[in-house]
Amino acid sequence: MTYTSLIVGGGIAGTLSAIALRKAGIEPVVYEAYEHGADNVGAFLTLAVNALAALRTLGVDVGEIGFETPRMTLTSGSGRKLGELRYGEPLPDGTVSRTVKRADLYRLLREHAVRQGVRIEYGRRLVDAHGGGGGVLARFADGGTAEGDLLIGADGLWSRTRKIIDPAAPGVRYSGLLNTGGYARGVRTGAEPGVMSAIFGRHCFFVHLTHPSGEVWWAANPARKAEPTRAELDAIDPQEWRAHLVELFRRDAGPAADLVAASDEIFPAWKTYDVPSVPRWHRDRMIVIGDAAHATAPSIGQGAAMAIEDTVVLAKCLRDSPGVTTAFTAYERLRRERVERVVDQGNRTGGWKGLGPLARIPRDLVMAAGMRFMARRGADPSRWIYDYRIDWDEPVTGLFRSA
Ligand SMILES: Cc1cc2nc3c(=O)[nH]c(=O)nc-3n(C[C@H](O)[C@H](O)[C@H](O)COP(=O)(O)OP(=O)(O)OC[C@H]3O[C@@H](n4cnc5c(N)ncnc54)[C@H](O)[C@@H]3O)c2cc1C
């Protein structure tokens, strides 16, 4: 069946969805709210091996950006080693997980999409949409409209499409943690290049990775129980913010305080959210994918990976299904259990980061004991996340039933 698809959002899920649909023989147009895409949103992220495998099915190679991140180590604020984990098993050709600047990833995906002939319209913010038997009509803030056979809402955490599909859909949930980070030069961390070093500090979670050039990329999650307003965050003076972070890490073992001090610029604080289970993913030829359907806490490092996997599975369902609704139903059956398990795990991992001084001690003991147990057994309870693979050529069959 040949369709035309409206894709709302030109982030990771939207741009890749366009690439995946083209591969499936469906004609997409991407509508992005901002003038130049969301290039500067966030700093860096790690694409785990499951994300890299899904990107490969679409012919997208990210090997020219970022650097390899094969392992992570966990230590406590006192410097005690809690454990070491692989960031998933390498792909058969040895490819390991990769840390990339978000802006580089967006640029690479967009260039790939444009090379495939995908049309991306900027400054087009979806405000409303109506779907029915024959297609979907979308309305944009600029007064314009667009029509298609289906609409894919890849419009992120604050998704408008989620609310159009189900006005009672849950909104975002604040995690009690802020995010910040930076790039430091001239500090020797003692860590091997590429290895992700996570420190469960006395007052704050910190993670750092050394780029092969010697530059150190870091991120931190200061706890802030009561949700601050955007205006309160904007009002934080950059020098005060730096001093506050240095103070948070002053008593911790490891390089956190030095890295904060050695960074030219520190990202202004932003808030961490997830979205509790969204009961309704699709209605009347409209569907949500990526963060719009299942935003997971950043702590698990899988939000972008889930969005990437979504795009491949949805394109396959649309390629093989006799109709749009049957494709959406099959897609949900293939994806819901996995992404909700990831969201749940992300939520629990995030909870470990913001613990106070008393809860921190049992957490570190439990974590160290768990890691020792896993090392002895050679077991990794996260394998189900990393080992997921999608075979593009395998037809989606047996899942189609009318909804
Ligand atoms: C601090 C932090 C660290 C993270 N680290 C990792 C990591 O290491 N690994 C990992 O896999 N994931 C990570 N994630 C998660 C990952 O960034 C997200 O899951 C991913 O970006 C989701 O992609 P998306 O395309 O669904 O949404 P987005 O990338 O947010 O894209 C949504 C797009 O839709 C546009 N849009 C919004 N509303 C409209 C509208 N009404 N009309 C038109 N366009 C609209 C937006 O402008 C945006 O371009 C992290 C997240 C955070 C916050």
Side-chain angles (χ1 to χ4, degrees):
M1 187 90 65
T2 306
Y3 303 117
T4 55
S5 175
L6 314 178
I7 299 178
V8 181
I12 296 170
T15 311
L16 267 172
S17 212
I19 294 168
L21 292 186
R22 282 299 288 242
K23 191 171 162 79
I26 296 163
E27 198 50 51
V29 181
V30 178
Y31 299 92
E32 164 56 46
Y34 288 98
E35 284 299 338
H36 299 291
D39 297 42
N40 296 316
V41 178
F44 59 86
L45 55 82
T46 301
L47 294 171
V49 279
N50 54 309
L52 298 178
L55 284 169
R56 271 192 189 173
T57 64
L58 301 178
V60 177
D61 179 4
V62 293
E64 71 185 57
I65 58 172
F67 56 93
E68 292 185 339
T69 308
R71 299 197 316 279
M72 63 181 112
T73 61
L74 312 177
T75 52
S76 70
S78 64
R80 179 176 175 205
K81 189 165 178 185
L82 302 174
E84 179 160 346
L85 289 172
R86 278 189 163 198
Y87 217 121
E89 291 297 311
L91 300 182
D93 68 353
T95 298
V96 297
S97 300
R98 205 164 180 88
T99 301
V100 300
K101 285 191 179 167
R102 192 177 283 260
D104 289 342
L105 177 63
Y106 279 42
R107 181 186 40 76
L108 182 141
L109 295 181
R110 206 175 310 134
E111 284 172 4
H112 193 97
V114 170
R115 271 199 308 276
Q116 306 290 310
V118 171
R119 198 168 95 220
I120 305 177
E121 296 191 9
Y122 294 100
R124 307 297 306 273
R125 177 174 292 278
L126 180 85
V127 288
D128 204 1
H130 295 279
V136 181
L137 176 70
R139 292 186 191 284
F140 298 95
D142 60 10
T145 58
E147 281 179 75
D149 296 308
L150 60 132
L151 181 148
I152 298 174
D155 43 357
L157 197 59
W158 303 93
S159 173
R160 174 74 193 121
T161 314
R162 185 168 68 228
K163 288 284 182 191
I164 293 171
I165 289 174
D166 179 7
V172 300
R173 178 169 61 182
Y174 174 60
S175 71
L177 296 173
L178 301 180
N179 268 293
T180 187
Y183 301 101
R185 288 199 163 272
V187 178
R188 285 181 183 272
T189 63
E192 235 177 90
V195 172
M196 178 179 284
S197 308
I199 304 169
F200 288 83
R202 288 182 169 85
H203 301 290
C204 182
F205 177 81
F206 191 88
V207 65
H208 62 93
L209 304 102
T210 305
H211 188 281
S213 71
E215 185 177 64
V216 184
W217 298 12
W218 63 268
N221 290 126
R224 184 73 58 95
K225 208 164 181 202
E227 183 176 353
T229 62
R230 187 65 254 168
E232 280 167 336
L233 293 182
D234 288 347
I236 299 175
D237 173 76
Q239 288 315 319
E240 280 174 25
W241 184 229
R242 182 191 297 269
H244 172 66
L245 292 169
V246 169
E247 184 55 28
L248 280 181
F249 299 117
R250 197 172 50 82
R251 290 182 53 232
D252 283 346
D258 290 344
L259 290 170
V260 173
S263 302
D264 286 344
E265 209 184 313
I266 296 174
F267 312 139
W270 73 98
K271 299 180 262 184
T272 308
Y273 296 100
D274 72 358
V275 177
S277 178
V278 173
R280 203 148 189 194
W281 282 3
H282 61 92
R283 173 177 69 80
D284 297 342
R285 292 176 167 254
M286 300 181 280
I287 190 164
V288 275
I289 62 167
D291 273 10
H294 47 70
T296 169
S299 40
I300 193 170
Q302 278 287 326
M306 290 303 109
I308 293 166
E309 289 177 5
D310 284 355
T311 66
V312 184
V313 177
L314 180 59
K316 280 186 62 171
C317 290
L318 284 162
R319 177 194 67 190
D320 297 343
S321 150
V324 173
T325 308
T326 47
F328 287 175
T329 306
Y331 166 80
E332 184 167 354
R333 288 176 70 191
L334 288 169
R335 292 298 292 160
R336 189 178 274 281
E337 190 186 330
R338 173 169 169 80
V339 298
E340 295 205 334
R341 222 176 136 193
V342 169
V343 171
D344 186 50
Q345 188 147 323
N347 201 20
R348 276 183 281 133
T349 320
W352 284 5
K353 289 182 176 179
L355 296 181
L358 284 180
R360 221 176 47 223
I361 297 164
R363 174 203 62 198
D364 292 353
L365 289 172
V366 167
M367 212 186 278
M371 291 284 179
R372 276 198 305 274
F373 178 77
M374 274 155 41
R376 268 202 310 272
R377 293 268 176 123
D380 177 356
S382 303
R383 270 198 82 145
W384 64 273
I385 298 179
Y386 301 123
D387 285 356
Y388 183 82
R389 300 288 179 269
I390 308 161
D391 181 349
W392 176 263
D393 296 320
E394 187 191 10
V396 180
T397 52
L399 287 167
F400 300 121
R401 56 181 166 79
S402 291

